[in-house]
Amino acid sequence: MQIKRKILLNPGPATTTDTVKLAQIVPDICPREKEFAAQMAALREALVRVVHGGPDQYTAVLFCGSGTLCMDACLSSLLPEGKKALIVNNGAYSARAAEICRYYGLPHTELKLPYDRPATPEAVEQALRAHPETALVYSTHHETGTGLLNPLYELGTLAHRYGAIFVTDTTSSYAMRPLSIAESEIDFCMASAQKGLMGMTGLSFVIGRRDLLEASRTYPRRSYYCNLYRQYACFERTGEMEFTPPVQTVYAAIQAMREYWAEGEAGKWARHTRVMDAIHRGLEALGFRELIQREWQAGLVAAVRCPDDPAWDFERVHDACYRQGFTIYPGKVGSAGTFRLCALGALDVPDLEAFFTVFRAALDECGVSVPVRYCD
Ligand SMILES: *Cc1c(COP(=O)(O)O)cnc(C)c1O
């Protein structure tokens, strides 16, 4: 079977291999069969191993849904009665976490910090001092809207020193940047299958400490479908999700996991890094400027400032690239005009070289002068 190859430079779903796409084509199976539960058990173990967690101490809880569901599940399930969450907000995804708290009416402190630099432990410590009832500290590891990386170890250590658990959204770094859950002082992290793992959409997972999951049994149940303890307990009891799992997506994730181990943690990170380097090089050659200082980037997303050129029209440039099989993505940071190029997915340097040829032609077609110009 020939499947047309598309190059996705958006921040997920990512470009996948054909072997992962085809892994979805399996004989029909009822997900309540033991055969399917065994597949999920192996997948859950492997998901923990990706972040170097010991299987006795950590487990993975799968959900049918996109990554936001995991944010929802963690925030609504891991806060004891009368306690407060601290949301470290320096980007669009942590702003979403604060919004989830508002939807559930969860007591929380929203610590708003500049979106263009890593969260500082000093600011977080000040907030923890001011709110001693804080039981959960939440931060986004890689803010996908800007490409910014937050310091997990520093934030996790602080959370623990102040008697809180540390929950981090690793949706856009998991299975790409090497990460050790214990060494980074993480209690819970999360991701979805279609980003770093290069699987399909519709399967997401929370990875976290078993003892804290057990402790959360008595916490208020604020959601019926997204309760973390309930899903965990169902997996422990039956090996299954409580409700219907995304069957074919699970098979694709299992194949994606095979390919993850075949490429290896170091090899995969090296590939994402050389793809990102090719993105930086291509942008520089055209005169583009990035929003976030290079050393503060996670090395997976470039948020690029739109040029000050009346001919610049993101939609037109996007459409011209899309016709050639390449997808670029708009920005996500308040008023600053940006677009994004991402190094997720099954890509390598030649894909980016091909992209920049197409991108350059699209700029010419739109009449954008190169090198691109900025007023400041
Ligand atoms: C993609 C992503 C999510 C989940 O977004 P969905 O639209 O639900 O897939 C959550 N957090 C981060 C940091 C992400 O990059």
Side-chain angles (χ1 to χ4, degrees):
M1 193 191 292
Q2 266 304 106
I3 307 170
K4 193 170 188 316
R5 185 153 189 269
K6 299 286 187 98
I7 303 301
L8 301 186
L9 300 175
N10 51 297
T15 297
T16 57
T17 60
D18 285 356
T19 35
V20 167
K21 291 181 192 79
L22 294 172
Q24 295 174 98
I25 303 169
V26 288
D28 292 322
I29 183 169
C30 169
R32 301 297 175 207
E33 295 295 346
K34 286 189 284 298
E35 181 187 338
F36 189 74
Q39 298 276 357
M40 278 201 294
L43 178 61
R44 289 173 64 211
E45 266 186 51
L47 288 166
V48 175
R49 238 182 308 132
V50 167
V51 286
H52 303 273
D56 297 335
Q57 222 184 334
Y58 299 91
T59 190
V61 183
L62 310 181
F63 286 96
C64 179
S66 78
T68 305
L69 188 145
C70 295
M71 302 168 63
D72 189 315
C74 283
L75 289 163
S76 68
S77 310
L78 293 171
L79 198 62
E81 187 78 68
K83 297 288 187 177
K84 227 171 168 178
L86 172 62
I87 308 296
V88 181
N89 177 358
N90 61 345
Y93 287 94
S94 22
R96 184 180 296 177
E99 193 172 24
I100 290 169
C101 291
R102 289 195 290 277
Y103 267 56
Y104 282 110
L106 294 176
H108 69 286
T109 314
E110 184 176 359
L111 177 63
K112 283 192 185 159
L113 297 174
Y115 66 79
D116 60 353
R117 63 204 64 180
T120 55
E122 294 75 25
V124 175
E125 181 157 24
Q126 206 173 5
L128 283 166
R129 278 220 195 91
H131 303 278
E133 67 282 33
T134 301
L136 186 162
V137 175
Y138 182 101
S139 165
T140 306
H141 185 210
H142 169 211
E143 271 290 354
T144 325
T146 53
L148 184 78
L149 188 72
N150 277 315
L152 295 185
Y153 171 78
E154 285 79 357
L155 302 184
T157 306
L158 262 180
H160 292 151
R161 192 181 310 148
Y162 283 81
I165 66 165
F166 183 49
V167 179
T168 181
D169 175 358
T170 52
T171 308
S172 59
S173 55
Y174 178 91
M176 291 181 284
R177 282 186 74 94
L179 180 68
S180 159
I181 189 165
E183 279 173 24
S184 297
E185 299 281 326
I186 298 166
D187 296 311
F188 292 91
C189 62
M190 62 193 84
S192 51
Q194 85 272 15
K195 289 197 180 175
L197 204 54
M198 310 192 312
M200 293 294 148
T201 59
L203 176 71
S204 299
F205 39 89
V206 174
I207 299 165
R209 271 174 53 182
R210 283 180 187 275
D211 59 337
L212 295 173
L213 281 166
E214 291 291 347
S216 72
R217 185 174 60 83
T218 58
Y219 295 177
R221 309 240 174 139
R222 302 167 177 101
S223 168
Y224 184 78
Y225 197 77
C226 300
N227 186 263
L228 189 56
Y229 177 77
R230 186 174 162 138
Q231 186 84 326
Y232 161 75
C234 188
F235 267 115
E236 291 300 297
R237 205 169 57 242
T238 66
E240 294 171 13
M241 282 190 198
E242 182 144 31
F243 307 108
T244 306
V247 176
Q248 289 73 18
T249 300
V250 168
Y251 282 103
I254 289 163
Q255 176 60 26
M257 188 60 89
R258 260 184 223 122
E259 295 178 16
Y260 176 86
W261 298 119
E263 187 171 18
E265 180 186 61
K268 188 166 187 291
W269 177 232
R271 180 172 57 76
H272 289 300
T273 301
R274 62 179 182 265
V275 168
M276 199 66 220
D277 287 344
I279 291 174
H280 290 315
R281 269 200 312 277
L283 287 168
E284 271 167 17
L286 296 169
F288 280 98
R289 295 187 195 164
E290 296 180 30
L291 188 70
I292 305 291
Q293 231 168 279
R294 196 71 59 82
E295 65 267 32
W296 290 341
Q297 297 181 13
L300 291 162
V301 170
V304 190
R305 289 178 53 200
C306 297
D308 296 315
D309 184 329
W312 170 263
D313 178 341
F314 175 81
E315 281 305 314
R316 273 193 72 193
V317 176
H318 165 275
D319 292 353
C321 294
Y322 185 71
R323 282 193 293 274
Q324 304 294 321
F326 296 87
T327 296
I328 63 174
Y329 207 65
K332 196 177 197 159
V333 256
S335 56
T338 57
F339 68 96
R340 283 178 280 173
L341 299 179
C342 311
L344 282 65
L347 308 177
D348 214 329
V349 174
D351 297 313
L352 273 297
E353 288 167 354
F355 163 71
F356 276 105
T357 304
V358 165
F359 188 52
R360 170 75 208 245
L363 295 176
D364 290 344
E365 187 187 315
C366 295
V368 177
S369 46
V370 172
V372 297
R373 287 183 303 226
Y374 294 94
C375 292
D376 52 348

